[in-house]
Amino acid sequence: MLADNWVLLVLGTLRAADGPVRFDELRGRLDGIAQKMLTKTPRDLERDGLVRRSVYPTVPPRVEHSITELGTDLSRITHAVGLGGGPPARDHCRQSGIRRRSGDRARAGGASRWAPLNRYRCGIDA
């Protein structure tokens, strides 16, 4: 479950929110996520007990996502591991992200496909 890049980003986004997040708002906060992944990821997280999805019978259907206590705990742990707990780890992450992006651009002839993940993990612009 945690091997998917979007799982960590969705959990982090929901943890940072001040309450339930509507589907379109979640899409706006997760730059570059495909419609399929935006539908599938929260459903999978709901099945695992990490996210609460509320579907309201309106036209069109209104869907709100919020993080559960278990999801909050897991998100804190993955965030701490991803950042390494301090400025030296963030500096390393920033430098390795810069090297990785420049290499990706050289190979692909454009922007890195990992830009959203790098920006979230390191707190830097891609």
Side-chain angles (χ1 to χ4, degrees):
M1 168 186 61
L2 294 178
D4 179 13
N5 292 338
W6 293 113
V7 167
L8 298 176
L9 293 173
V10 168
L11 284 176
T13 300
L14 292 176
R15 186 171 69 98
D18 290 333
V21 177
R22 298 208 35 197
F23 184 86
D24 286 335
E25 185 181 350
L26 190 59
R27 179 188 305 159
R29 293 181 184 194
L30 296 171
D31 185 37
I33 190 168
Q35 176 84 23
K36 177 181 177 181
M37 292 308 295
L38 187 58
T39 302
K40 180 183 179 308
T41 302
R43 284 184 182 168
D44 291 345
L45 292 172
E46 178 188 30
R47 191 179 63 235
D48 295 330
L50 302 173
V51 167
R52 187 176 306 107
R53 286 178 70 245
S54 302
V55 181
Y56 299 94
T58 61
V59 178
R62 188 177 93 199
V63 180
E64 292 181 344
H65 303 89
S66 57
I67 194 164
T68 64
E69 188 176 331
L70 179 62
T72 300
D73 292 343
L74 180 63
S75 180
R76 283 185 186 137
I77 292 167
T78 58
H79 186 72
V81 170
L83 291 179
R90 281 192 291 271
D91 291 342
H92 171 73
C93 184
R94 183 174 290 113
Q95 290 303 315
S96 64
I98 291 168
R99 287 192 300 275
R100 191 176 309 120
R101 283 192 304 280
S102 64
D104 288 347
R105 285 190 192 110
R107 284 189 293 281
S112 168
R113 70 183 186 133
W114 300 107
L117 182 61
N118 291 337
R119 181 171 47 248
Y120 174 77
R121 285 185 62 222
C122 299
I124 59 173
D125 292 328

